[in-house]
Amino acid sequence: MRSVTVLAPAKLNLTLDITGVRPDGYHTVDMIMQAVSLYERVTVRKSEGFSLALPGSNVPANEHNTAWKAARAFLDETGLLAGAAITVEKHVPVRAGMAGGSADAAAVLVALNALYGARLPEEALCAIGARVGADVPFCILGGTARATGIGERLERLSPCPPCFFTVCMPKGGISTPQAYARYDALGTDDRPDTAAALAALCRGDLPALCAQMKNALSFSSAGRDTAPICRILREHGAAAALMTGSGAAVFGVFEREAAATAARGALAARYPRAWVLSPDPQGARIVHTT
């Protein structure tokens, strides 16, 4: 095997609640996360040296990149004296709350594990990923999951009921540290009932699940476009409309694809970056080897 190509899905937060702050300043959370059908495509090739390329992207290809960090963490953990040439084809928007960078890291870990025959189990890959970023373990796991702690503790859940997500990314991104700092200053009364959301998932009850789709960071994110996008989505029949993560992407939930597509069309004139997506039951996975 000389190269491995991995697809890694983006994520949406169906719910997001903040449960506390640790002594180190990190916030603890309780979230229901869902993988969706928008993918980063990452190819890793065997190499004597180490390189990272992100063609067509403005994301820096340096040691601060999550793909770079993941590769270094994997090689340090396994003790492999090996190199890697990594190419990331980015499709998930940056600073969107959709875990694009974490998906890149997850893809690199899955690819290196196969490329060099390390055979680490999923649990071990998730442990390495947690050192790179809190969302990386979920991007390895995928599907529908509850995330607690700082986001690294995962519990597989019943699959999300069939539906369609119209996801819209406004022009500007949101700073996650700033969103949490504003939350600390402002707080919120808009919290999900996570227990009710979990019960709805178990029943496969999409309307009841949508009723609990709330994001405790929505008020503090300072995303100027969140409210108008949510309004357009609801006007076109979205059963729920909310921000994902710390923003800036916003999504609506639809039972019918035609309605989701119509909502995307209504957003297009003002917000050209919009997609109609569906739940993905998997995480990062190999799609090609040579």
Side-chain angles (χ1 to χ4, degrees):
M1 191 182 298
R2 301 186 308 276
S3 72
V4 176
T5 298
V6 176
L7 284 186
K11 64 88 176 167
L12 296 176
N13 289 93
L14 304 185
T15 68
L16 191 158
D17 197 11
I18 299 171
T19 56
V21 184
R22 301 193 318 186
D24 61 7
Y26 281 96
H27 291 74
T28 56
V29 293
D30 193 352
M31 311 181 290
I32 298 176
M33 303 170 77
Q34 177 62 53
V36 293
S37 57
L38 181 65
Y39 305 97
E40 301 283 75
R41 186 179 180 92
V42 178
T43 299
V44 181
R45 297 176 177 83
K46 286 183 177 178
S47 172
E48 293 183 2
F50 190 85
S51 64
L52 174 62
L54 296 94
S57 172
N58 293 324
V59 175
N62 57 29
E63 67 274 13
H64 302 294
N65 189 284
T66 54
W68 185 299
K69 291 179 180 179
R72 290 301 189 196
F74 181 89
L75 295 174
D76 288 345
E77 177 68 22
T78 58
L80 286 167
L81 300 176
I86 303 168
T87 302
V88 178
E89 299 173 33
K90 291 201 67 65
H91 301 283
V92 179
V94 177
R95 299 179 75 190
M98 297 181 71
S102 295
D104 297 339
V108 167
L109 293 174
V110 170
L112 286 172
N113 197 38
L115 189 64
Y116 286 111
R119 299 183 180 179
L120 296 182
E122 183 177 79
E123 181 180 352
L125 288 181
C126 287
I128 298 171
R131 301 203 297 268
V132 178
D135 285 340
V136 178
F138 173 76
C139 291
I140 294 171
L141 184 73
T144 312
R146 183 182 191 179
T148 54
I150 61 170
E152 85 288 5
R153 301 177 191 165
L154 297 175
E155 174 191 354
R156 291 185 187 270
L157 299 176
S158 301
C160 181
C163 63
F164 298 91
F165 302 108
T166 297
V167 183
C168 180
M169 179 62 187
K171 187 174 182 179
I174 297 291
S175 163
T176 297
Q178 288 180 9
Y180 276 98
R182 282 175 56 85
Y183 170 85
D184 289 338
L186 301 173
T188 186
D189 293 325
D190 193 22
R191 298 183 180 281
D193 183 335
T194 304
L198 293 170
L201 267 175
C202 287
R203 299 193 306 271
D205 187 340
L206 183 63
L209 176 61
C210 287
Q212 299 305 328
M213 288 190 186
K214 298 179 182 180
N215 184 332
L217 285 174
S218 291
F219 181 69
S220 61
S221 74
R224 294 177 298 175
D225 294 287
T226 300
I229 293 172
C230 285
R231 184 176 62 251
I232 293 170
L233 290 166
R234 290 193 178 279
E235 287 173 350
H236 285 79
L242 64 156
M243 186 181 76
T244 181
S246 58
V250 179
F251 69 96
V253 185
F254 297 85
E255 292 191 28
R256 298 173 55 198
E257 186 175 11
T261 301
R264 182 183 62 184
L267 290 163
R270 184 172 176 183
Y271 306 104
R273 288 194 292 173
W275 305 264
V276 174
L277 308 175
S278 54
D280 189 314
Q282 301 181 65
R285 66 269 200 177
I286 296 169
V287 293
H288 185 68
T289 62
T290 59

